[in-house]
Amino acid sequence: MNANNPIGVFDSGVGGTSIWKEIHGLLPFEHTYYLADSKNAPYGNRNSDEIVALSIKNTEKLISLGSKIIVVACNTATTNAISILRSSFDLPIIGIEPAIKPAALNTKTGSIGILATRGTLSSKLFHTTSALFARDISVLEIVGEGLVPLIEEGDLDSPKLKSLLQTYLDPMIEANIDHLVLGCSHYPYLIPMLQTMLPESVKIIDSGEAVAKQTKALLEEDKLLRKERTKPKLQFYSNSDASTLEYLLRSYAAAIEVEQLDF
Ligand code: DGL
């Protein structure tokens, strides 16, 4: 594998761009290819077999495009498919999981909240991680039903979104959580709204930075970091309406284009 090959990133849709931004921020000279499988979003209400099949399809496509490493920028795909992906493909694969550990280690109230998809919260991997790190504290797991479709439509601040979110936050505030773990890569786009709705004492945690650091560390270890200090190719592919993807990226970097691709 060549260090000049791209980092391949996929998500069920636009949410993984929250992870991509962290990766590009930390590794600004790396070529990156991003697949938004918006045609099949949301993954969160699908069964595990379907999520595995979609994750394999996306990984195969990113490998066929020359990826040197795969970042599964989707908690639902990671918690359901990462071990199958790792045993099926011969390249490094990084996943994203809800950051229960830092929340559990740092809670003062002994109560944390996790907002994630049904697919993530019902997965074996999530249960194993939760049992390992959050045994002695109270963990309120809430499915963010309906949030991903709204974000896919580009809705980050409507009254409808806010009232839906309120129904998920109310029991958490009631339970006196002091950490809210965002267990879905779409949800970091809700942070500005969440900050207006949660008590100031609640810390919001997502896993984007940790995934970017892990990606860098793995590439370093495998001597796969790109050496050229020239402008990288930042390629985005969508298999559905790309307007939200374009909108989320334009607010970050004006020159980014999204291409249509059948996958
Ligand atoms: N963004 C994904 C995640 O991190 C999946 C959302 C979905 O498609 O339901 O879980």
Side-chain angles (χ1 to χ4, degrees):
M1 189 53 75
N2 191 310
N4 224 19
N5 285 32
I7 297 174
V9 183
F10 80 81
D11 178 40
S12 63
V14 303
T17 54
S18 67
I19 313 300
W20 173 85
K21 286 174 184 175
E22 298 283 351
I23 294 170
H24 180 59
L26 190 65
L27 300 166
F29 297 109
E30 290 291 331
H31 301 305
T32 57
Y33 285 5
Y34 181 97
L35 291 187
D37 191 13
S38 295
K39 187 171 78 181
N40 295 301
Y43 283 10
N45 290 338
R46 293 179 178 276
N47 67 42
S48 199
D49 289 347
E50 287 178 304
I51 298 166
V52 168
L54 291 167
S55 302
I56 289 175
K57 164 189 77 80
N58 297 334
T59 304
E60 280 172 345
K61 184 50 109 183
L62 284 170
I63 291 174
S64 77
L65 292 167
S67 301
K68 61 184 174 184
I69 186 170
I70 304 291
V71 178
V72 183
C74 175
N75 294 260
T76 312
T78 301
T79 50
N80 285 274
I82 196 87
S83 59
I84 294 174
L85 294 180
R86 286 189 175 135
S87 60
S88 308
F89 298 101
D90 190 22
L91 82 174
I93 300 183
I94 288 179
I96 179 167
E97 281 183 71
I100 306 174
K101 188 180 172 184
L105 284 177
N106 292 310
T107 179
K108 300 260 182 314
T109 61
S111 174
I112 67 169
I114 301 184
L115 192 61
T117 68
R118 189 176 306 284
T120 293
L121 294 177
S122 62
S123 68
K124 275 199 208 98
L125 185 56
F126 174 78
H127 284 131
T128 309
T129 312
S130 186
L132 192 63
F133 298 114
R135 231 173 324 157
D136 305 323
I137 59 163
S138 145
V139 182
L140 198 57
E141 300 168 12
I142 306 256
V143 175
E145 192 68 58
L147 295 175
V148 167
L150 288 174
I151 298 166
E152 284 289 314
E153 283 167 20
D155 178 358
L156 307 181
D157 54 11
S158 72
K160 184 179 168 192
L161 176 72
K162 189 168 185 178
S163 70
L164 190 59
L165 213 41
Q166 194 70 59
T167 62
Y168 304 143
L169 297 183
D170 281 346
M172 298 208 195
I173 295 167
E174 181 83 3
N176 199 22
I177 64 157
D178 60 0
H179 287 75
L180 170 61
V181 177
L182 301 183
C184 170
S185 58
H186 282 68
Y187 300 166
Y189 285 111
L190 303 180
I191 290 175
M193 183 177 262
L194 285 167
Q195 280 168 337
T196 67
M197 300 170 74
L198 286 166
E200 254 177 55
S201 55
V202 177
K203 192 162 186 250
I204 300 170
I205 304 194
D206 72 85
S207 323
E209 198 187 330
V211 170
K213 283 185 179 158
Q214 207 194 337
T215 306
K216 185 177 180 196
L218 249 183
L219 289 175
E220 251 165 7
E221 198 180 302
D222 291 351
K223 310 223 171 343
L224 281 175
L225 279 176
R226 184 170 174 246
K227 293 182 187 60
E228 286 83 357
R229 289 293 177 257
T230 53
K231 213 170 151 212
K233 185 169 183 197
L234 308 177
Q235 184 71 56
F236 289 82
Y237 295 109
S238 170
N239 56 13
S240 184
D241 178 1
S243 46
T244 301
L245 187 58
E246 280 166 349
Y247 161 72
L248 293 175
L249 292 169
R250 294 260 157 79
S251 62
Y252 181 77
I256 292 177
E257 296 292 335
V258 180
E259 252 180 63
Q260 286 294 321
L261 186 72
D262 196 22
F263 64 91

